[in-house]
Amino acid sequence: MNPTIDYYNLNAENFIENTQNVDMYLAQDRFLRLLDENASILDFGCGSGRDTRYFLDKGYQVTATDGSAELCRRASVFTGIEVKEMMFEELDEIDTYDGIWACSSILHLPKIELLPVICKMCMALKDSGVIYTSFKYSDFEGVRNGRYFTDFTEDSFKEFIAKIPELTIEDYWITDDVRAGRSDEKWLNLILRK
């Protein structure tokens, strides 16, 4: 049993309502500027399918995965492509993607599981590929509102990612939560380069 996956299966409709139409274009375009036209992107933990659809509409080759069967079903309908039901630790591709987009997704892993998953993400990237990922901005780790979260600050993430020398932090920025009523929440956004 995975309480976080259970949460998304049970709350899929509400989660999609709160996230599918959220404007993420500043982060999306910052990521896409680092990729060539028609680049291959893995949307790793795609949730509602919002970002997959944005990337598809821009002409990119997108593979989308999520651990929640219910979110996969709904995101497949929304995006028009099959979204693969997969846990993060099941990623096993090598040198496949130009970019990996992990927006508010891998933050649900405990630190002890997060490091090996980021190693797998690195292996799935082509040389010079980029990862975008985001975490809530704090030093908290544990269960919050029925889901597990690992939060980071820029300093704690720098220390954490130093264990994977193949990846460097190319860019990072802090943003307010863009969802209604959540502007007091801060996010750490990161671009990592292989």
Side-chain angles (χ1 to χ4, degrees), residues 34 125 128-131 166-170 191-194:
L34 302 172
L125 272 184
S128 300
V130 290
I131 294 169
E166 299 87 350
L167 289 174
T168 55
I169 299 173
E170 181 156 315
I191 301 247
L192 312 176
R193 173 82 70 175
K194 181 176 177 179

Side-chain angles (χ1 to χ4, degrees), residues 15-171:
F15 174 75
I16 287 170
E17 273 175 27
N18 288 323
T19 60
Q20 198 162 69
N21 297 311
V22 165
D23 191 344
M24 287 291 295
Y25 77 91
L26 290 174
Q28 291 162 335
D29 290 349
R30 207 159 170 168
F31 171 71
L32 293 179
R33 276 199 297 273
L34 302 172
L35 300 176
D36 293 332
E37 283 182 43
N38 300 319
S40 59
I41 296 172
L42 171 62
D43 190 349
F44 198 42
C46 73
S48 67
R50 173 197 64 217
D51 305 317
T52 290
R53 187 150 155 187
Y54 186 83
F55 300 147
L56 287 168
D57 288 348
K58 297 269 183 193
Y60 292 89
Q61 311 302 310
V62 186
T63 301
T65 68
D66 202 276
S68 158
E70 189 58 28
L71 286 177
C72 286
R73 188 179 68 74
R74 290 169 181 254
S76 294
V77 171
F78 182 68
T79 61
I81 65 167
E82 184 186 348
V83 175
K84 181 179 178 186
E85 184 184 345
M86 184 181 99
M87 300 300 282
F88 295 126
E89 54 273 15
E90 294 178 275
L91 182 65
D92 62 359
E93 291 156 298
I94 308 290
D95 297 328
T96 305
Y97 301 105
D98 299 298
I100 297 177
W101 176 266
C103 181
S104 316
S105 62
I106 58 174
L107 53 65
H108 289 309
L109 293 168
K111 275 186 187 161
I112 196 163
E113 294 173 26
L114 182 59
L115 201 66
V117 164
I118 295 177
C119 286
K120 286 172 179 271
M121 292 166 71
C122 182
M123 287 191 291
L125 272 184
K126 297 175 186 172
D127 285 341
S128 300
V130 290
I131 294 169
Y132 165 85
T133 189
S134 55
F135 298 90
K136 286 181 182 281
Y137 189 81
S138 86
D139 287 313
F140 176 83
E141 182 179 356
V143 176
R144 179 197 289 131
N145 302 327
R147 294 166 288 172
Y148 199 93
F149 284 91
T150 294
D151 298 353
F152 283 104
T153 63
E154 56 272 66
D155 291 336
S156 63
F157 190 81
K158 279 177 191 166
E159 189 180 317
F160 178 77
I161 204 67
K163 299 178 184 89
I164 308 176
E166 299 87 350
L167 289 174
T168 55
I169 299 173
E170 181 156 315
D171 194 8

